[in-house]
Amino acid sequence: AHHYLQTYAHTPSSIRNDTTAVGILPLMLDTPSNRAMIGEDEGDERYGTMVKPESIAKEIGEWIRHGHLRPHSGSLVKVIAKNRVEGAGGASFHLVR
């Protein structure tokens, strides 16, 4: 998928000039299906690695509002849950490539 993303990001003409293709790489999304897979034990350390989709949507919104913050097309962005165990929530975004 990474190679496809980078190839697509650099394909001329077929896409608009203002299109950006970015790979979002969360460890695990906090969804009902993933919670069901883990089970009911909220103390499970895997809950601390889950990223809420809303956190990703908020970051993408920031990229749209503030173009200078948006990663370049073809970038890969790792998403890490930020202090979920202690309840602070949120996520941090790290440019990987």
Side-chain angles (χ1 to χ4, degrees), residues 5 10 36 38 45 50 57 66 71 83 95:
L5 171 73
H10 297 88
I38 290 175
E45 64 187 39
M50 295 176 121
H66 307 286
N83 205 11
L95 188 62

Side-chain angles (χ1 to χ4, degrees), residues 19-36:
T19 300
T20 303
V22 176
I24 307 290
L25 311 171
L27 183 60
M28 183 184 298
L29 288 175
D30 188 349
T31 65
S33 297
N34 286 341
R35 285 184 168 268

